[in-house]
Amino acid sequence: MARTRPDVGSYDDIVAAATRTTGMTDTGGDSHEDGLRTLVEDLSSPEAGLTPLGNYFQRSEVKSAIVGRLLTQAKFNERPEHADVRIERPVFVMGLPRTGTTALHRLLHADPVAQGLEMWITQFPQPRPARDTWDSDPIFNAMQQAFSAHHVESPEFMGIHYMDATSVEECWRLLRQTGKSNSYESLANVPRYTAWLARQDWTDAYARHKQNLQLIGLNDPEKRWVLKNPSHMTALDALMTVYPDALVVYTHRDPVVCIASSCSLSAETTAGHSTTYVGDVIGQTQLDLWSRSFHAFHDARPAYDQAQFADIAFRNLVSEPVGTMRGIYEQFGMDWTPEAEAAITDIDRESKSGSAKPSHRYDLADYGLTEAQVHTAFDR
């Protein structure tokens, strides 16, 4: 049965709920407060138009960000040695949504020498336990059961973007610990938060992102980080300030397809959550968000060593996934071992069958957009 609420509640009320849930109060500073306060005020406004179902969902998202920050800070304090962990040449996958970033990320992560942000660890940050202990962890089991139920309740969503507690997922759950994440703009109509976010320097968000990687990878310091998030396009300068030796894999696809698919994903994720965040509003907000991110990335990129960037066409990733991976390894001077090739080949085979097989239908017109509008927005 769907959970509902009459309202989102105040920011302070949500903080109190996060404190009750965790028994913790130390957030390690207040860098997250301005953004999350602005977001909560926006979510309570008529523009957001939240339904009782939407109130519950959006409140949970804000609470999850605060809980993540509290849990992370507790672990920072408990394991101060995390600060000595080196993060060298991390790989960041980015590009417009629906350009193959998820598939590419999971293929790169398949290499035995790679590590990523598994869903359950990203939600509950901690030094990653040994894999053979996960099944006995109550938090892991609770998340797996929740995803299993979600598969049954929302088969359409799982066909668009398959997830479970073991899946490597996007970095925005770490970035939102400082109140900065454009994921919120893909979940609701929040114009004041959007305006606030556009004025921000994201360097502190990436500094905390790095601290989280140091903590989570404490038991695997020798493994290469492979990360992914379309929103990295928004703040390339901040990312490169914190990770100057980062390797960026950038994916390319026709923006008409990307925006139509992104709108469909937002609509499916938020179905029944709002009376205003539907149809044309989803279309306009997603077009604005991703065209801004696209131009921000391409404006910033020329300032950096282009040897740190690999460009991948979606059609090549689909037609030759293993060969595309090998090309990335060669460009970045990473070891293409028999173990890496075998693991990547296996993951590619699995991704094309069963519950993880993609299945997605969408139409740009459903969101009040035309191909001409999209081409104009992305024209450089």
Side-chain angles (χ1 to χ4, degrees):
M1 183 174 67
R3 298 180 180 181
T4 61
R5 279 185 57 91
D7 55 43
V8 172
S10 69
Y11 171 76
D12 292 328
D13 173 46
I14 298 173
V15 170
T19 297
R20 288 193 300 272
T21 296
T22 61
M24 301 170 183
T25 59
D26 182 6
T27 58
D30 60 2
S31 62
H32 60 296
E33 287 193 13
D34 191 23
L36 293 182
R37 280 188 185 278
T38 301
L39 175 64
V40 172
E41 290 170 5
D42 237 1
L43 291 170
S44 302
S45 71
E47 289 96 329
L50 296 184
T51 65
L53 179 63
N55 286 327
Y56 183 88
F57 175 85
Q58 296 294 349
R59 177 187 171 91
S60 297
E61 288 296 301
V62 176
K63 180 184 173 184
S64 180
I66 300 168
V67 165
R69 185 171 177 111
L70 287 165
L71 292 172
T72 296
Q73 194 61 42
K75 290 297 182 180
F76 287 169
N77 297 339
E78 179 185 322
R79 304 292 300 272
E81 69 271 25
H82 79 276
D84 297 324
V85 175
R86 294 174 63 85
I87 308 291
E88 297 182 335
R89 302 185 82 212
V91 178
F92 285 86
V93 178
M94 64 187 79
L96 291 174
R98 323 309 297 167
T99 54
T101 54
T102 297
L104 196 153
H105 180 214
R106 292 176 181 175
L107 289 170
L108 288 170
H109 178 261
D111 189 335
V113 305
Q115 63 178 317
L117 292 168
E118 292 87 358
M119 174 66 82
W120 80 287
I121 298 289
T122 312
Q123 292 275 36
F124 296 92
Q126 60 184 290
R128 186 187 298 104
R131 179 63 181 87
D132 60 7
T133 68
W134 292 8
D135 290 338
S136 61
D137 188 294
I139 294 176
F140 175 81
N141 278 313
M143 288 192 68
Q144 267 305 47
Q145 290 173 18
F147 278 113
S148 295
H150 188 42
H151 298 173
V152 174
E153 295 168 3
S154 305
E156 296 86 359
F157 179 88
M158 301 316 292
I160 297 171
H161 185 81
Y162 180 83
M163 294 186 298
D164 66 22
T166 68
S167 299
V168 283
E169 273 298 320
E170 297 181 344
C171 305
W172 58 265
R173 290 177 177 82
L174 301 186
L175 294 172
R176 70 179 180 177
Q177 288 187 18
T178 48
K180 299 181 177 73
S181 174
N182 55 24
S183 65
Y184 296 118
E185 299 175 77
S186 293
L187 298 171
N189 186 30
V190 284
R192 282 170 291 275
Y193 177 78
T194 296
W196 175 87
L197 192 60
R199 300 191 299 269
Q200 302 309 304
D201 177 352
W202 291 52
T203 305
D204 65 332
Y206 281 95
R208 192 171 180 90
H209 179 281
K210 182 178 180 179
Q211 282 186 282
N212 271 276
L213 298 193
Q214 291 173 307
L215 173 71
I216 294 168
L218 192 58
N219 298 328
D220 304 291
E222 75 289 348
K223 289 192 172 185
R224 176 177 61 243
W225 277 101
V226 178
L227 305 143
K228 170 249 180 175
N229 195 3
S231 71
H232 291 318
M233 294 191 302
T234 307
L236 183 64
D237 287 333
L239 186 156
M240 297 300 280
T241 296
V242 174
Y243 299 104
D245 61 348
L247 304 174
V248 175
V249 182
Y250 183 75
T251 51
H252 297 258
R253 192 182 188 186
D254 181 356
V256 168
V257 179
C258 298
I259 295 300
S261 184
S262 178
C263 288
S264 175
L265 178 59
S266 290
E268 186 64 39
T269 305
T270 61
H273 290 189
S274 172
T275 59
T276 60
Y277 191 67
V278 295
D280 293 8
V281 172
I282 290 179
Q284 278 304 131
T285 55
Q286 292 306 288
L287 181 62
D288 177 61
L289 165 61
W290 295 117
S291 61
R292 281 187 287 108
S293 298
F294 173 86
H295 290 297
F297 173 82
H298 286 284
D299 288 344
R301 175 173 169 169
Y304 303 101
D305 182 354
Q306 295 307 294
Q308 292 178 246
F309 293 79
D311 292 279
I312 302 300
F314 178 79
R315 63 180 179 275
N316 294 340
L317 178 61
V318 171
S319 64
E320 275 193 277
V322 178
T324 297
M325 293 304 104
R326 183 166 188 162
I328 292 170
Y329 273 62
E330 291 174 351
Q331 178 167 339
F332 289 150
M334 302 188 306
D335 291 335
W336 181 258
T337 64
E339 293 79 11
E341 182 169 7
I344 289 170
T345 300
D346 286 346
I347 288 292
D348 176 55
R349 186 182 304 112
E350 290 175 15
S351 72
K352 295 172 180 175
S353 63
S355 55
K357 182 180 179 180
S359 175
H360 193 191
R361 295 180 296 276
Y362 43 82
D363 188 342
L364 198 63
D366 291 341
Y367 305 99
L369 298 174
T370 66
E371 292 189 12
Q373 281 178 282
V374 176
H375 285 140
T376 298
F378 286 89
D379 181 30
R380 290 187 64 82

